[in-house]
Amino acid sequence: MTRRHTPEADLQRAVVQALRVALPRTAIIHHCANEVTEPGPVGANV
């Protein structure tokens, strides 16, 4: 699976990276990815 470069995905990655720095190593970080196959409005019409 290739990683898409979208502003939202970039922001989500940045948030997770910041949490990994700010939180203790024992903290659990969970990100629930959307099951969208196409970016933008096309993917929202599932």
Side-chain angles (χ1 to χ4, degrees):
M1 177 183 224
T2 59
R3 186 184 284 181
R4 291 190 193 121
H5 293 286
T6 62
E8 183 178 357
D10 294 341
L11 174 63
Q12 290 172 356
R13 276 190 291 278
V15 168
V16 170
Q17 288 174 347
L19 288 172
R20 287 184 177 147
V21 170
L23 296 175
R25 285 185 75 87
T26 57
I28 297 173
I29 301 170
H30 175 74
H31 173 260
C32 183
N34 293 334
E35 295 295 327
V36 176
T37 58
E38 296 292 328
V42 174
N45 294 324
V46 175

